Each structure stands twice: as structure tokens, then as C-alpha cells.
Amino acid sequence: MLKGIPAIISPELLKILMEMGHGDELVLGDGNFPAASHAQRLVRADGHGIPELLEAILTLFPLDPYAERAVALMQVVPGDTVETPIWDKYRLIVGRHEPERADFEQVERFAFYERAKQAYAIVATGESALYANIILKKGVIAPS
């Protein structure tokens, strides 16, 4: 164990976060997301919800300040009547860590899948909310 690392972040996920460079993307996929078939690198986080993981990840992971939008969501399919209250949770979490990054991009479902295939890694979660998938673009940590 290490000090300051949220317990929900597994050693495998910590390694992935450390390996990622500026502009690399991380997908947090809900329980219905086809993570295994789309991932270049797959991290299992079964039993964990995305809001808890997002909160923990953002304590360590800077969002890209140079991207127009460093966070992307899977857009609701036109005609689908699903509500997405989890997006409000995401905005609160991102807003606590990086308020200037709380404006999210919405990506059409199949475009989201294609983007996920190019992501550095996908975290497969146990999140049960629909349309809970989220992409984070990594930024830089400036020298102190």
C-alpha cells in the first residue's frame, strides 16, 4: 500500500495512469460497454461504479488543458428515452477537480466505440447506469 493513493485504484490501474502521456485517452466503461473486445489494454474494476473511480482517478490524473473538451460522454441514441442523471454527478466531480474542464463533449454511440478502440486503456466497471461511459484525455503536470 502507498500513502495518498485512493484504495479503489488497483495497482494495475495505477500503472496504466503512470504510463499514459499527454493526449492519451482513458475510457471508463459501464457494465454494458464492450470493453474486452475494444481495448488495447483492459483494466477490470468489476463491482465499482464510475463516479467513485472518476473521483479517485482525478486526484492523480490531470485533464488536458489544451483540448477543446477533455471529457467525452456517449451521446444518447436519438429516440431513446433514457435519463442520464449520472452525467450531473460527473460534472460535479470534474468541477471539484478542474472546474474549467466541466464542459463535456457528446460523441455519437458508434463514433464513441471507434474512439474507445484507439484509447490507451479501457477500465471495465460494474456501473449499472445506462450511457455512463466516459472518456478522459490526459493532460500534463507542470514542473513545480
Side-chain angles (χ1 to χ4, degrees):
M1 301 214 36
L2 298 171
K3 292 180 181 181
I5 306 295
I8 195 171
I9 296 190
S10 68
E12 182 182 14
L13 180 54
L14 184 60
K15 176 184 180 291
I16 291 290
L17 297 176
M18 288 290 296
E19 289 174 345
M20 292 176 68
H22 178 226
D24 282 340
E25 293 188 328
L26 179 70
V27 177
L28 303 179
D30 63 33
N32 290 302
F33 191 78
S37 65
H38 283 58
Q40 294 183 45
R41 294 166 195 83
L42 179 64
V43 178
R44 303 298 313 194
D46 302 290
H48 295 298
I50 292 177
E52 299 81 23
L53 281 164
L54 180 62
E55 182 72 49
I57 288 167
L58 290 179
T59 64
L60 306 171
F61 186 101
L63 293 172
D64 190 344
Y66 305 113
E68 185 176 336
R69 292 189 180 101
V71 179
L73 304 169
M74 180 185 284
Q75 186 178 61
V76 175
V77 173
D80 198 338
T81 59
V82 171
E83 298 290 323
T84 55
I86 197 162
W87 293 1
D88 294 330
K89 291 180 184 177
Y90 295 169
R91 281 189 184 84
L92 287 171
I93 294 165
V94 171
R96 268 197 303 276
H97 292 275
E98 297 192 40
E100 64 284 357
R101 302 279 131 227
D103 181 26
F104 300 164
E105 176 183 5
Q106 290 192 19
V107 180
E108 184 273 334
R109 178 181 167 213
F110 292 105
F112 190 99
Y113 290 148
E114 289 305 311
R115 190 162 160 188
K117 288 177 185 177
Q118 302 305 312
Y120 188 83
I122 298 176
V123 180
T125 75
E127 181 58 59
S128 61
L130 299 177
Y131 294 102
N133 308 301
I134 186 169
I135 298 174
L136 307 174
K137 184 179 288 285
K138 189 174 184 184
V140 296
I141 297 176
S144 48

